[in-house]
């Protein structure tokens, strides 16, 4: 049971890293597509959406890393007290 608790922070960080990676890849692909598909991108809609997806992925990575570190730190202080 204690080993599962110890790996919980790493699991949160790993999950957010995977989600952020997929989001960055999709956002970057849409960003490149926005330069090629000019008929769909008259109002720079694809560019705005792709930058939003990449920004949300970076925010998700930062928040997930923070939560993973917070969980690890909280569990270490809880077991040592």
């Amino acid at each position: 049971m204690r080993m599962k608790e110890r790996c919980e922070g790493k699991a949160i960080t790993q999950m957010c890293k995977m989600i952020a990676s997929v989001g960055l890849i999709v956002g970057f692909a849409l960003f490149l597509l926005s330069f090629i598909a000019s008929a769909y991108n008259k109002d720079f809609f694809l560019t705005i959406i792709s930058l939003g997806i990449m920004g949300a992925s970076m925010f998700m990575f930062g928040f997930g890393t923070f939560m993973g570190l917070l969980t690890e730190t909280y569990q270490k202080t809880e077991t040592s007290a």
Side-chain angles (χ1 to χ4, degrees):
M1 183 73 163
R2 193 174 277 221
M3 184 61 98
K4 185 177 181 183
E5 291 174 0
R6 190 174 290 165
C7 294
E8 186 176 338
K10 287 184 182 180
I12 292 171
T13 306
Q14 187 69 21
M15 179 187 64
C16 287
K17 190 189 311 183
M18 293 296 285
I19 291 171
S21 299
V22 170
L24 281 173
I25 290 170
V26 168
F28 190 69
L30 279 176
F31 187 72
L32 290 178
L33 182 69
S34 71
F35 291 121
I36 298 168
S38 61
Y40 297 112
N41 201 20
K42 289 182 181 178
D43 297 327
F44 299 105
F45 183 72
L46 282 178
T47 307
I48 293 169
I49 294 295
S50 65
L51 290 176
I53 290 173
M54 288 193 291
S57 297
M58 289 187 281
F59 180 77
M60 175 75 141
F61 176 73
F63 185 73
T65 303
F66 173 74
M67 290 303 290
L69 290 173
L70 190 66
T71 305
E72 287 286 325
T73 305
Y74 177 72
Q75 288 173 353
K76 285 182 182 177
T77 57
E78 188 179 69
T79 55
S80 64

